[in-house]
Amino acid sequence: MSETTTHIADLRKSYERAELNEEASHADPLRQFDQWLQEAISGQLPEPNAMTLATVAGNGRPSTRVVLVKGYDERGIVWYTNYDSRKGLEIAANPFAALQFHWVELERVVRIEGVVEKVSDEESDAYFHSRPLDSRIGAWASPQSEVISGRSVLVANAAKYGAKFLLQPPRPPHWGGYRLVPDSWQFWQGRRSRLHDRLRYTQQTEGGWLRERLAP
């Protein structure tokens, strides 16, 4: 074991940038999320829209990957991907998922849980056709999560579909959007001495959200 690895347990950081309290936070978690995301964007953080997506297979085995949020409103959080990928197959078997945003520079984390549904074909079509041409061809070229013999497979597929569709590739039937409909949000703000701020919002059956402070 290297000396660097030996000392990794000694790494420490004091969180002192901001605070999160019940009085200053929004009663609606979507508004709180929007405020924090906009602050991450205006702060020019690297890939502020990157989020970890956690899904669970039918056999109970979890997996995570990083995807990019492409839209959000009162209906939920939207991203786009290959329906035949591992995450797509796991969502088909178990339509519940969790998202996590980690804005390191702001010492903030947002966790979101809920049920996942596909967005409409119209939404998927509109987003697909807004993408750069290379990205649209790439959606056809990559059999996502499948074993391939080498990068040459992707290059050959891209050339094949580029020649076939030219400048107007249609949206592949295996590609489109998902929307996570939240029923739980958590907002974490790092604080000094590990006494972090952590607020949880839970959707109520009669409507609205219950906001509670959790021990960090």
Side-chain angles (χ1 to χ4, degrees):
M1 185 178 295
S2 71
E3 184 177 349
T4 301
T5 304
T6 302
H7 293 291
I8 196 170
D10 297 329
L11 294 176
R12 296 287 187 275
K13 177 182 179 181
S14 181
Y15 299 96
E16 303 180 8
R17 288 185 57 95
E19 62 182 48
L20 176 66
N21 59 56
E22 292 82 347
E23 292 73 30
S25 61
H26 294 288
D28 183 343
L30 182 63
R31 291 187 61 195
Q32 185 65 38
F33 171 73
D34 178 65
Q35 177 184 323
W36 276 16
L37 177 57
Q38 294 308 318
E39 289 176 4
I41 293 171
S42 62
Q44 298 185 320
L45 272 59
E47 295 201 283
N49 60 329
M51 60 185 183
T52 299
L53 165 65
T55 56
V56 178
N59 63 3
R61 191 180 184 103
S63 63
T64 66
R65 74 286 292 159
V66 176
V67 298
L68 300 178
V69 60
K70 291 300 180 179
Y72 61 94
D73 55 24
E74 66 282 351
R75 297 174 297 169
I77 314 294
V78 174
W79 68 94
Y80 293 86
T81 191
N82 188 316
Y83 293 144
D84 295 333
S85 64
R86 178 176 177 178
K87 55 185 170 297
L89 297 178
E90 290 182 349
I91 288 170
N94 180 15
F96 295 92
L99 307 174
Q100 177 170 294
F101 292 83
H102 186 191
W103 298 304
V104 177
E105 296 82 355
L106 299 178
E107 301 173 354
R108 288 172 173 171
V109 173
V110 179
R111 296 165 55 186
I112 314 167
E113 299 177 16
V115 67
V116 180
E117 61 188 22
K118 288 183 178 178
V119 307
S120 68
D121 288 342
E122 291 75 16
E123 289 176 270
S124 290
D125 287 341
Y127 175 71
F128 182 80
H129 291 296
S130 75
R131 306 178 84 207
L133 178 61
D134 287 351
S135 296
R136 285 178 279 155
I137 293 296
W140 283 95
S142 175
Q144 195 174 111
S145 299
E146 293 183 15
V147 175
I148 57 176
S149 59
R151 183 174 177 80
S152 60
V153 173
L154 301 178
V155 175
N157 283 349
K160 178 180 73 174
Y161 288 111
K164 178 178 180 179
F165 296 126
L166 301 177
L167 299 178
Q168 299 297 329
R171 177 173 65 89
H174 58 262
W175 191 98
Y178 288 105
R179 176 180 289 107
L180 183 141
V181 182
D183 55 32
S184 177
W185 299 71
Q186 287 193 36
F187 295 84
W188 181 96
Q189 176 71 62
R191 297 294 300 276
R192 185 179 298 181
S193 302
R194 294 299 187 266
L195 301 179
H196 310 303
D197 290 329
R198 184 179 172 195
L199 297 183
R200 179 180 66 188
Y201 294 73
T202 306
Q203 189 173 47
Q204 301 300 285
T205 55
E206 67 275 12
W209 295 88
L210 173 64
R211 178 177 51 191
E212 301 171 297
R213 177 173 289 268
L214 301 182

